[in-house]
Amino acid sequence: MSHVEYPGHRASFLGVAALFMLAGWLIPAGHAQEGTNAPRYEVDASWPKPLPNNWLIGQIGGLAADKYDHIWVYQRPRSLSDDEKGAIPDPPLRAVARSICCKPAPSVMEFDPAGNLLQAWGGPEDPEKCVAPTCVWPSNEHGIFVDDDEHIWLAGNGPTDRMVLEFTKDGKFLKMVGGSFFGPADSNSKVSVGRAAGIFVDTQRKEIYVADGYLNGRVVKFDSATGAFIKAWGAYGNPPSDLAPSPQLSDPTGPYSPQPPDPKSPVFNRPVHCVILARDGLLYVCDRANNRIQVFNRDGQFQRQFVFDPATRGNGAIWAVALSPDKDQFLIYADGEE
């Protein structure tokens, strides 16, 4: 994880602090016991540096770090309010600008470790990067990953978001798995996802793992070169299941999480919110509303689980996880409900 330092040090405002200022724990990846309290981070209010073009960032739908320690921000320009994007027309509210500030930035933004914006592209502010029907931009940005080939993988959790997108680092469209359409959950689909939340790409093995998601209730694996389906599984490595109550489809901001939480549930609750692969080949999956992290091997065979704050309701305790870059690879999880 880029731009992370340990206790008493600073973390970048968007790169890490936006995620890990939330309450969390630190546990050794691959070990079964809970660890100690997580390191404390400070917000570096000077990071990133002021944006050009009178741009403003909306809600953050995803963060990623590449092999150069650059931070990639996947943001939601459509989440800005009318006054926040006052420098542009905003039909049907008004046909002309209302103020001199500000304009929505493109959805994908690359920053260097010092906080300089290197590039920004994609989304409703840069529609030429993704032209239907070959490419359909998500209606609500959620989930980004930068693989070792410097390809950018994106997903979305809006009502019609059934896709995973692949681009070059400068925004050239390469591939879409799935598409954009309404419909019920389908955790057995081999050709699309269901409002996916998280992505991890194993570049060496050419495999994409998707936390799928806000509508479907599974982990699904595709071939990263072809987009072909490889395998999918549910909680405990069981066959994928749509048994958990489906979330509301009309509002991409929620609520998503059926209650009550059940750390022993044989199925994932909604949403299956993150997926990350450790160096030892173990895959960590956030079952957010069930307050647990389940661990699998690459083939979906269940290994163990960690349960945290099992009584947490609302949006659940397990919002995100990250692996530290040191030799021991500690696992950090973020509790956004606490």
Side-chain angles (χ1 to χ4, degrees):
M1 171 60 70
S2 176
H3 224 68
V4 177
E5 299 181 27
Y6 285 97
H9 292 75
R10 304 182 109 184
S12 67
F13 174 64
L14 286 175
V16 174
L19 182 63
F20 294 119
M21 288 302 291
L22 304 171
W25 288 79
L26 192 68
I27 58 176
H31 294 271
Q33 76 275 11
E34 285 188 11
T36 60
N37 284 327
R40 294 184 177 273
Y41 301 99
E42 296 178 21
V43 174
D44 185 348
S46 65
W47 200 102
K49 295 179 180 178
L51 299 176
N53 306 319
N54 213 12
W55 278 344
L56 195 64
I57 294 175
Q59 295 175 356
I60 305 300
L63 297 165
D66 67 19
K67 61 185 179 183
Y68 305 109
D69 283 346
H70 291 179
I71 300 296
W72 291 78
V73 176
Y74 189 34
Q75 62 98 17
R76 299 168 178 161
R78 288 164 290 195
S79 69
L80 294 171
S81 64
D82 182 57
D83 61 323
E84 290 173 323
K85 54 186 177 183
I88 62 169
D90 189 20
L93 295 176
R94 51 184 170 74
V96 298
R98 59 179 275 176
S99 63
I100 61 173
C101 183
C102 291
K103 301 176 183 179
S107 295
V108 178
M109 310 180 76
E110 179 189 7
F111 295 89
D112 68 16
N116 298 297
L117 178 66
L118 302 180
Q119 62 168 331
W121 51 262
E125 307 308 311
D126 186 19
E128 293 184 0
K129 288 292 191 294
C130 184
V131 180
T134 307
C135 176
V136 182
W137 195 263
S139 61
N140 198 57
E141 292 87 350
H142 198 305
I144 181 172
F145 189 86
V146 186
D147 69 21
D148 290 339
D149 292 330
E150 300 180 61
H151 290 182
I152 313 302
W153 297 83
L154 307 171
N157 70 332
T160 60
D161 293 342
R162 306 291 195 273
M163 78 290 283
V164 174
L165 303 175
E166 180 187 12
F167 295 85
T168 63
K169 69 174 298 184
D170 57 355
K172 179 184 177 182
F173 171 69
L174 296 175
K175 181 166 55 268
M176 178 169 68
V177 179
S180 175
F181 54 90
F182 280 106
D186 184 3
S187 293
N188 290 301
S189 175
K190 297 182 178 181
V191 296
S192 67
V193 296
R195 303 174 70 188
I199 306 166
F200 190 96
V201 181
D202 186 340
T203 308
Q204 185 175 7
R205 292 180 176 238
K206 301 186 183 305
E207 295 177 336
I208 319 166
Y209 297 90
V210 182
D212 186 30
Y214 280 78
L215 179 63
N216 292 342
R218 64 177 180 170
V219 177
V220 60
K221 181 163 64 169
F222 297 100
D223 184 300
S224 63
T226 66
F229 173 87
I230 297 175
K231 190 171 186 177
W233 62 89
Y236 296 103
N238 295 329
S241 173
D242 294 321
L243 289 177
S246 294
Q248 293 183 2
L249 296 180
S250 59
D251 179 6
T253 64
Y256 299 120
S257 305
Q259 298 296 337
D262 181 3
K264 298 181 180 180
S265 173
V267 299
F268 288 131
N269 211 334
R270 305 300 201 292
V272 185
H273 203 249
C274 76
V275 59
I276 190 168
L277 185 69
R279 295 191 193 111
D280 60 6
L282 292 180
L283 195 73
Y284 293 79
V285 177
C286 299
D287 188 5
R288 191 176 81 177
N290 278 332
N291 304 317
R292 65 186 180 182
I293 299 169
Q294 290 208 329
V295 187
F296 303 89
N297 65 16
R298 287 186 172 95
D299 294 322
Q301 296 171 329
F302 177 75
Q303 306 296 304
R304 61 181 67 88
Q305 75 173 22
F306 306 106
V307 177
F308 302 96
D309 300 316
T312 300
R313 292 181 175 249
N315 285 311
I318 310 297
W319 282 42
V321 298
L323 292 162
S324 66
D326 57 288
K327 177 175 64 71
D328 293 326
Q329 248 197 333
F330 281 87
L331 182 79
I332 305 169
Y333 86 86
D335 182 347
E337 186 69 23
E338 185 170 308

